[in-house]
Amino acid sequence: MSEKTSWDWETELKEIPFNEWKTHFNWVQAPQVSQNGESIAAVVNLDEMVFSVCVNGQVWEEEYEKIWSLTSVSDSGFAAFVARDEEWTLSVNGQEWTHWCDFIWQMMKSLDGQFLGAAFQTDSEYGVIVNDTPWEDRYENLTGAVMAADGTSAAVVQVVPMPGADVEAFKKGVFSVACNGVPEDRRFLNIWDISFDTAGRQMGYGVRTDRESYGIVQNDTLWKNRFESVWKPEFLDENSLLAPVRINGKWQLYKNDAPFWQNKYDQLWHLTLSPDGKDVAAIVSAPYGRWRVAVNDTVWHVAWDTMISDIYFSQDGSSLAAVYKHKDVWDLAVNQTPWQMAADMVFVPCLSQDGSVVAVVIQKKGQYQLVVNKKTMASGFSFMADPVISADGSKVLLKGIENGIYKRRIIRV
Amino acid sequence: MNSFIAFIMGPMVWISVIIFLGGLTFKLVGILGAVRQKEPYIYSYMTLKHSLRSIGAWMIPFFPRSARMSPIYYGISYLFHILLFLVPLFLASHIVLINEAFQISWPALNDSVADGLTAGVIAALIFFVVRRFRVPEVNYLTSAMDYILILVVLLPFLTGFLAYHQWVAYQWITVIHILSGELMLIIIPFSRFSHMLNAPLTRAYMGSEFGQVRQAKDW
Amino acid sequence: MKTKENPMTDTPSSVEKPTDPAIESGLERLTPDRIQQVIQDVLKKETGPRFKAYVETCMHCGLCAEACPYFLSNDRDPQFMPAAKVKNTIWEMLKKNGNVSKDFLRRAVRISHLECNVCKRCSMYCPFGIDIAYMMLLVRRICHKLEITPQYIQDTVNSHSVTLNQMWVKDDEWIDTLQWQEEDARDEFEDLEIPLDKMGADIMYSVIAPEPKFQAGLIYQAATMMHAAGINWTMPSTPGWDNSNMAMYTGDNEISGRIARAFFETAAKLRVKRIVMGECGHAFRSVYDMGNRWNSWVMPPFEVVHALAFYHELLTEGRITIKEKYKKKVTLHDPCNVSRGRGLHDKAREVVNMVCEDFVDMVPNREHNYCCGAGGGVINCGPPYKGERMVNNRVKAEQLAATGAEVLIAPCHNCHSGLEDIVHHYDLKMEIKFLGDLIYETMDKKIYTPGA
Ligand code: HEM
Ligand code: HEM
Ligand code: SF4
Ligand code: SF4
Ligand code: SF4
């Protein structure tokens, strides 16, 4: 977050005409905005099967047959998967990687933008590539690739060939986890949801050991307990792994193979740890069909009937925001208080360091609005990217398109 | 003998009625409690509107397609169920007994009409038996218990009928009548006759699942 | 009492029974203890008052017989009557407290997986509304735990568990297919896009895995319609795009729930408002009715709009206009999972009448339709069972033939494949189409502009 301080928080308004691009190109795809809001980019079509990326009106030098997954990376840049002569690679700000492959997908980026990764396939062999360095070992099949903050990558890989519809072979377990391309010894029927600890050294994931037994692997060691099902585990610290597990039809939170939370829920998922590691939150359902946020095994007193899609802690752990849907409309609740926005959609909220300011983009009747601490700060936009709050919490960066013009606005709270 | 008759016409009636009503109530409470405990989701899908809609639709004679496809059985069974309640409740000799005990009474069926209706019930039960033998798919499902259950219903009606006509061993027949009537009442909550209670519940649940969730009809 | 046919040895007549390697090797591994323990566990832990009420309420009246296409197609062979399927499986397990033989189980696998489409038609014919399909799924659940599920459908569940789609479609193959369809569709609309992972789109479009695998043209058609109708839509590039769910049909509720979770969370991550799905029945059931429940979502957290309802919306709102109505005589198959499963049959008829000139209904119809015979996972048990599937749905063939239609509209993938087999087997000389095929063929290929 340190780099946020170097951004321009003073200029109140910067504008870039966006809709006018449509007159220069055959067509312009959905825009992406850089993190610092200084640039807006889109994939544009120049001719039949000729695409490029336009950033603030400037087109990347190279042209491609196909481009997809345009994403903002680091403060002001963009990356995308690009194809030429039926070969794919990743291009960062117009700079192609040297390795080309038959297909590339699943863009992964580290928070600081230091590492970029993706899954790739060449000659029907699969691997992961990070910062232009592909895994040495390739596999028949690969799913669920992840990358840690330090660029360590892992994925579930098939290590034993399996003929079509061979349920006996499947039963023996043909999947393993490969970390930086190197497979672990142990095989399972299924492996899901690899989690790294913050340092990127330890791994935890969910497995199925036979048709109806599920387990958790923590640093190569399979927990002794078996469960009816498991969801994504998360590291509390390097020595403790938390995981929601299902026992007798109810969900409970386990830590290092033993009960951690005492309550049992009809659902328990989206484990979310406060950045200081003090609090553990999760989305739970109790009773059936009533959705709540649980923090350290205590549920919020408010419950919703449809869904809680995601929850977010502020950096200091003092505030927790939940995006939820109740009675057909979306809303945001911060520390148990619903904002009552009755929105058609609520995007990802941004919480200030100390949790006192929460900003979020919502959609209502097809228009985008920016709402900060329950107050609508801007509306009537045709598009908005998620807002950013300055390090001191005094300003909110709005990034959106109004009347065809991209606007970078600084709003004082 | 007289004290035995006094017992079965007095306390035993009480006992059987209490077991019948108490048993059904106990069962209902048990079901509702068990649903709450083991399958609480069921309540999430039940709506009064769709429950009543479905129960109502199935009460209208020959309204469900299923009823129209098996009109004879359905029609007979429909009448059977009405008479099953109607005849004993509006029987002059029953009302007399109740009047003696509680000094309450209500209009009774004319005796010969009641007699005819009783014959109808007996005929229906015989039809059920014949059907169980004759219709292959019903026969396939039938077990001894199904016949026993029919017998349990048949006995009070048959003995009541015989008692009324006083053809043979009147006193003995009456004793058997009373005992079998009480037996039937007692058995209802503990046998598949508890469908009396379950029918509206299962129907209401299916009606709600169809009406509320699937937005379709279930008849 | 006369003794009944022995359910263990007495298997339905007329067609040869294939042996299924997965069932056989599964049975071989089983011990009597294990069998008993699994059955007891499921009955004790996973059933409650609902099951109990069904068991003790059934009066053995046989009214449900008339409902079942298997019964009707097999010359009213009592073994195919709904209640008989329960009698020969779960009642027996209950009565024997789980102490049943391997031969019994072999038969139970077949009854529950191959002789019932879990179409729920019988619940509309049973005066008590007893849910036979639920009990057949319970038997499948037991088979799943005993690991004696038929091979081909088990393989699809394995695929679901690994890839979250039904057909082992790899992540790159999926995206590549979408891009290829997008490219092809640009022949018709130069600027057509299949927007991948577009945050905040109004609609997420989702399909079942057989589309990218075998029928990519359907994605092309859908993209054309979306584009022409001016819809702000997207398709996910990540697992969670497949709305199908075979695990729900093998009783692997855990995998079934996992699939449904991925599906809805994909929509949540993309911040879309509604989910529109292609013409598939069982997939609709998965996301509208079953998969959501396992996850504790009473109803789906996003509105899921089946293609039938979506076409209705596009046509009535004038977003798509029909240039010239389809001329041939058509009839419509009501897929159980969206008619009996969601009451879309009337909308379907309205759409057909908007698109076609000459529509003739088949009888019975709407909620009372006969299943195609392929549904409920039956067709997914694979080619070995095709022969009996044909015999088991003769009524459908008779019903189709009676319409005299040239074209049969089957707005469900399973139905489509199942009916294809039926039409071929009974030599009905009918063309089978999706409703989308007809709309694509007859629509005005111009882009909708609001107010125009
Ligand atoms: C519970 C105790 C019961 C008692 C004390 C009782 C008593 C009697 C008596 C005294 C008669 C008159 C016989 C006659 O006319 O001489 C009678 C007739 C009859 N009872 Fe009951 N009854 C009982 C239960 C039942 C039940 C449960 C049913 C049927 C569900 C039933 C059905 C009949 C019928 C159908 C007749 C007369 C039939 C006819 O008129 O042909 N009774 N009962
Ligand atoms: C008011 C509550 C009741 C309802 C709603 C009800 C409903 C039904 C239904 C739906 C059936 C299935 C066959 C058909 O459609 O006719 C049935 C069958 C039957 N019911 Fe009832 N019933 C009730 C009370 C009773 C009682 C109290 C008895 C006897 C004590 C009884 C005896 C029977 C018998 C014997 C059959 C089976 C006929 C056969 O063998 O096919 N019912 N009932
Ligand atoms: S669910 Fe359908 S196929 Fe299964 S028994 Fe009932 S009517 Fe027959
Ligand atoms: S119709 Fe219902 S009560 Fe009658 S035999 Fe079938 S399942 Fe049992
Ligand atoms: S395949 Fe079609 S007809 Fe058959 S069960 Fe599914 S929806 Fe019903």
Side-chain angles (χ1 to χ4, degrees), chain C residues 375-448:
Chain C
V378 171
I379 196 172
N380 308 79
C381 291
Y385 302 102
K386 185 175 155 194
E388 58 183 291
R389 190 152 49 78
M390 297 303 99
V391 176
N392 287 340
N393 210 0
R394 199 183 65 210
V395 279
K396 190 84 220 177
E398 290 163 1
Q399 185 191 30
L400 294 178
T403 63
E406 292 170 80
V407 173
L408 166 59
I409 303 171
C412 157
H413 274 276
N414 262 307
C415 305
H416 210 269
S417 323
L419 293 171
E420 193 96 49
D421 293 339
I422 298 267
V423 162
H424 192 249
H425 181 85
Y426 290 96
D427 200 17
L428 295 179
K429 312 223 166 18
M430 278 176 149
E431 239 181 298
I432 306 183
K433 289 191 182 279
F434 287 105
L435 200 42
D437 292 335
L438 293 183
I439 296 176
Y440 174 77
E441 211 174 310
T442 54
M443 72 188 250
D444 216 348
K445 303 256 169 46
K446 59 166 200 255
I447 296 177
Y448 168 78

Side-chain angles (χ1 to χ4, degrees), chain C residues 58 215 232 254 288 337 407 430 440:
Chain C
C58 174
Q215 296 159 293
N232 177 9
E254 290 76 15
Y288 182 72
N337 286 324
V407 173
M430 278 176 149
Y440 174 77

Side-chain angles (χ1 to χ4, degrees), chain C residues 123-173:
Chain C
S123 322
M124 301 173 63
Y125 285 72
C126 168
F128 298 111
I130 289 176
D131 196 343
I132 306 275
Y134 159 78
M135 289 188 274
M136 287 301 105
L137 288 174
L138 201 58
V139 179
R140 294 188 189 183
R141 170 85 173 150
I142 289 170
C143 296
H144 152 74
K145 291 200 164 217
L146 291 170
E147 306 198 39
I148 49 176
T149 305
Q151 178 191 5
Y152 282 90
I153 192 168
Q154 184 56 47
D155 181 59
T156 64
V157 177
N158 291 349
S159 167
H160 275 303
S161 72
V162 174
T163 63
L164 290 174
N165 73 68
Q166 192 200 120
M167 310 237 87
W168 296 104
V169 177
K170 294 177 178 172
D171 294 356
D172 57 321
E173 295 169 346

Side-chain angles (χ1 to χ4, degrees), chain C residues 117 119 281-282 333-337 369-376 412 414-415:
Chain C
N117 296 108
C119 75
H282 96 270
H333 166 73
D334 289 297
C336 338
N337 286 324
N369 80 317
Y370 295 128
C371 174
C372 60
C412 157
N414 262 307
C415 305

Side-chain angles (χ1 to χ4, degrees), chain A residues 26-30 45 48-49 51 66-69 88 103-106 121 124 126 140-144 158 162 164-168 170-171 175 189-190 192-193 208 210-212 214 228-232 246 248 251 266-267 269-270 285-291 305-310 312 323 325 330 344-349 363 368 386, chain C residues 21-22 25-26 29 34 38 45 141 143-152 154-155 157-164 168 170-173 175-176 179-180 182-183 186-187 190-193 196-202 232 237-238 252 254-255 257-258 261 264-265 267-273 292-303:
Chain A
N26 292 334
W27 77 83
V28 179
Q29 298 189 354
N45 175 270
E48 201 185 324
M49 292 289 279
F51 292 86
K66 290 178 189 164
I67 303 179
W68 76 286
S69 199
W88 287 89
F103 205 77
I104 184 164
W105 69 101
Q106 200 188 337
Q121 175 263 113
S124 297
Y126 291 77
E140 236 178 278
N141 199 353
L142 179 147
T143 57
Q158 185 179 337
M162 182 173 67
D166 190 340
V167 295
E168 292 299 318
F170 181 84
K171 225 180 112 56
F175 297 97
L189 272 72
N190 292 111
W192 302 282
D193 304 321
R208 187 159 66 138
D210 69 40
R211 179 97 41 112
E212 46 167 346
Y214 292 69
E228 285 159 20
S229 190
V230 295
W231 294 135
K232 191 176 198 298
R246 189 173 157 104
N248 289 329
W251 290 90
D266 284 66
Q267 187 54 272
W269 55 27
H270 286 266
S285 153
Y288 178 72
R290 302 288 291 160
W291 294 93
D305 69 5
T306 313
M307 170 185 226
I308 302 176
S309 61
D310 25 39
Y312 304 90
V323 179
K325 188 181 183 187
W330 288 91
D344 298 332
M345 185 44 71
V346 171
F347 290 83
V348 177
Q363 247 182 344
Y368 284 74
D386 292 330
Chain C
S25 63
R29 282 190 289 265
R34 170 90 187 138
V38 165
K45 287 197 197 146
R141 170 85 173 150
C143 296
H144 152 74
K145 291 200 164 217
L146 291 170
E147 306 198 39
I148 49 176
T149 305
Q151 178 191 5
Y152 282 90
Q154 184 56 47
D155 181 59
V157 177
N158 291 349
S159 167
H160 275 303
S161 72
V162 174
T163 63
L164 290 174
W168 296 104
K170 294 177 178 172
D171 294 356
D172 57 321
E173 295 169 346
I175 303 160
D176 193 37
Q179 293 182 340
W180 158 49
E182 176 186 59
E183 206 181 305
R186 281 185 185 143
D187 287 347
E190 181 209 47
D191 56 345
L192 181 143
E193 235 191 286
L196 293 177
D197 305 328
K198 183 178 174 192
M199 287 283 286
D202 290 333
N232 177 9
S237 75
T238 50
D252 193 342
E254 290 76 15
I255 296 295
R258 186 171 289 267
R261 175 189 178 184
F264 287 118
E265 295 213 323
K269 193 184 67 198
L270 293 176
R271 295 297 203 252
V272 297
K273 281 155 219 94
N292 53 308
R293 294 190 188 198
W294 189 84
N295 285 306
S296 196
W297 281 310
V298 176
M299 292 299 284
F302 285 82
E303 185 190 351

Side-chain angles (χ1 to χ4, degrees), chain B residues 65-200:
Chain B
R65 188 169 188 268
S66 176
R68 275 175 281 142
M69 298 200 71
S70 313
I72 299 175
Y73 171 64
Y74 196 87
I76 290 177
S77 178
Y78 197 90
L79 289 176
F80 159 76
H81 278 89
I82 292 174
L83 295 180
L84 178 67
F85 289 90
L86 187 94
V87 175
L89 280 178
F90 292 94
L91 194 69
S93 31
H94 285 179
I95 295 173
V96 168
L97 292 174
I98 291 170
N99 192 24
E100 277 169 18
F102 303 103
Q103 285 76 49
I104 48 163
S105 75
W106 52 88
L109 285 169
N110 170 297
D111 267 1
S112 55
V113 171
D115 192 42
L117 294 179
T118 304
V121 172
I122 295 168
L125 288 164
I126 293 170
F127 168 78
F128 291 160
V129 173
V130 172
R131 180 172 176 267
R132 288 207 175 274
F133 270 102
R134 295 287 301 276
V135 179
E137 63 269 23
V138 187
N139 186 269
Y140 188 82
L141 286 179
T142 301
S143 60
M145 189 46 95
D146 296 300
Y147 294 111
I148 294 173
L149 288 179
I150 289 177
L151 187 69
V152 167
V153 189
L154 181 66
L155 269 180
F157 282 91
L158 187 64
T159 51
F161 185 77
L162 292 176
Y164 173 75
H165 288 280
Q166 310 204 355
W167 285 321
V168 282
Y170 172 68
Q171 208 190 7
W172 284 108
I173 295 284
T174 307
V175 168
I176 299 175
H177 171 74
I178 296 168
L179 282 175
S180 63
E182 290 166 346
L183 175 75
M184 187 186 96
L185 287 176
I186 291 172
I187 280 182
I188 289 176
F190 308 103
S191 65
R192 279 192 279 119
F193 288 149
S194 61
H195 71 260
M196 180 180 173
L197 172 70
N198 288 343

